[in-house]
Amino acid sequence: MARNIFLMFGPPGSGKGTQSEMLAKALNLPIISTGDLLREERRAGTELGKQVEAIMDRGDLVSNELVIKLVAQRLNDEDSQEGVILDGFPRNQEQLADLLRIIRETDALYLIHVDVDDEVVLERITGRRVCACGANYHIKYKPTQKEGYCDKCGAELEIRKDDQPEVVKNRLVKYHEALQGILNSNKFKQVIKINGQQSIPEVHNDILEEVEKINNYEDID
Ligand code: AP5
């Protein structure tokens, strides 16, 4: 079966995770987030988790070899057979080449480029609060009902270690290094550029409007 694979691409803090979650609900598709998969490995204290800890805390990219293995496993899962949202992957041309090797010839890749300026990224990341259950908030733009505690599971919220300003700057460098290489690729069926500097629902509506134009999503509510 041919699959639509939506690639959520953009700088750190642009809202990829937030928008992936909303799009996943609208399309009823699973999300494969390489950042989340790596953080799960760390939380579980696996060998892989230990291997990537320092790299992630510095804001560097984990090796392509490790990341593609995680993606390949999830793409093989039953729930990924009708389409999927890839959040934070591919991050560079090598990862795109790896992805092309493991998908089917009939799969269609749609790059959703969430475009946000670096200054906005810094503001968003400074206010981000996360929960071990995977929930993601912002003190101003997506506040919790009870300050400092997760709406979904009630646990105390945390600040991600790689959300320190110096680390964020390094993550932005990595993003800008890879940006043109990805955008210039001819491997996507379509590149959908979205103005990520709007409110969370506005960004979602723009993404949905574009996705609805793709043939098989004509019937989204
Ligand atoms: P990863 O977790 O993928 O981090 P990232 O790409 O840097 O993206 P973020 O998770 O920081 O931000 P986001 O764009 O998802 O924004 P969010 O929705 O949270 O990767 C982390 C690390 O893992 C990497 O540095 C690397 O080491 C490793 N890694 C991961 N993938 C890899 C790969 N493929 N290859 C190699 N290494 C890899 O939003 C941010 C904040 O803003 C939130 O608080 C949110 O509530 C708020 N917000 C969102 N949208 C809006 C809006 N429109 N207006 C106002 N606030 C908003």
Side-chain angles (χ1 to χ4, degrees):
M1 183 195 288
R3 285 179 295 193
N4 286 335
I5 302 185
F6 296 96
L7 310 171
M8 208 56 87
F9 181 71
S14 55
K16 301 184 297 292
T18 306
Q19 294 300 329
S20 293
E21 215 178 294
M22 295 168 89
L23 187 64
K25 271 194 198 130
L27 303 185
N28 196 23
L29 288 180
I31 305 170
I32 301 177
S33 157
T34 44
D36 285 349
L37 289 173
L38 290 165
R39 280 185 288 276
E40 274 163 29
E41 295 284 337
R42 289 180 62 166
R43 242 177 246 124
T46 65
E47 265 315 300
L48 193 151
K50 287 177 193 146
Q51 220 176 318
V52 299
E53 212 163 48
I55 302 169
M56 289 176 75
D57 289 349
R58 281 198 305 271
D60 287 336
L61 290 180
V62 169
S63 80
N64 296 340
E65 199 187 343
L66 283 181
V67 176
I68 190 68
K69 267 192 208 153
L70 291 175
V71 173
Q73 277 166 13
R74 277 294 285 117
L75 269 178
N76 271 336
D77 287 347
E78 211 181 312
D79 66 336
S80 303
Q81 300 316 307
E82 290 187 11
V84 70
I85 297 168
L86 276 177
D87 171 14
F89 182 92
R91 279 267 212 304
N92 52 39
Q93 284 170 289
E94 294 74 28
Q95 291 187 0
L96 176 58
D98 286 342
L99 178 64
L100 289 164
R101 267 193 293 278
I102 61 168
I103 60 175
R104 304 171 195 141
E105 249 177 54
T106 49
D107 288 342
L109 296 181
Y110 294 90
L111 188 82
I112 301 181
H113 177 204
V114 185
D115 194 27
V116 173
D117 293 341
D118 290 5
E119 308 81 69
V120 177
V121 157
L122 284 169
E123 193 212 350
R124 288 196 186 163
I125 285 190
T126 321
R128 172 163 51 195
R129 299 292 181 269
V130 296
C131 180
C133 78
N136 191 343
Y137 303 95
H138 190 281
I139 49 172
K140 184 168 158 194
Y141 302 116
K142 196 182 170 191
T144 47
Q145 279 161 15
K146 185 178 171 200
E147 196 183 321
Y149 292 89
C150 181
D151 286 346
K152 287 186 183 159
C153 73
E156 200 170 349
L157 299 179
E158 303 160 10
I159 296 178
R160 259 168 60 173
K161 269 195 179 167
D162 60 348
D163 279 353
Q164 306 303 323
E166 283 314 306
V167 178
V168 176
K169 283 183 194 153
N170 187 34
R171 287 160 62 197
L172 278 166
V173 168
K174 304 289 167 215
Y175 167 72
H176 287 292
E177 278 171 4
L179 178 62
Q180 282 315 318
I182 290 284
L183 293 185
N184 292 340
S185 168
N186 60 3
K187 302 295 181 192
F188 307 116
K189 185 149 186 199
Q190 195 184 334
V191 174
I192 299 168
K193 186 171 176 179
I194 299 290
N195 172 10
Q197 300 196 160
Q198 311 173 78
S199 70
I200 293 174
E202 282 167 340
V203 176
H204 174 61
N205 285 339
D206 279 6
I207 293 177
L208 215 50
E209 206 173 289
E210 291 302 320
V211 167
E212 280 172 349
K213 293 180 192 159
I214 299 166
N215 289 344
N216 15 354
Y217 288 108
E218 277 166 354
D219 298 327
I220 305 173
D221 296 332

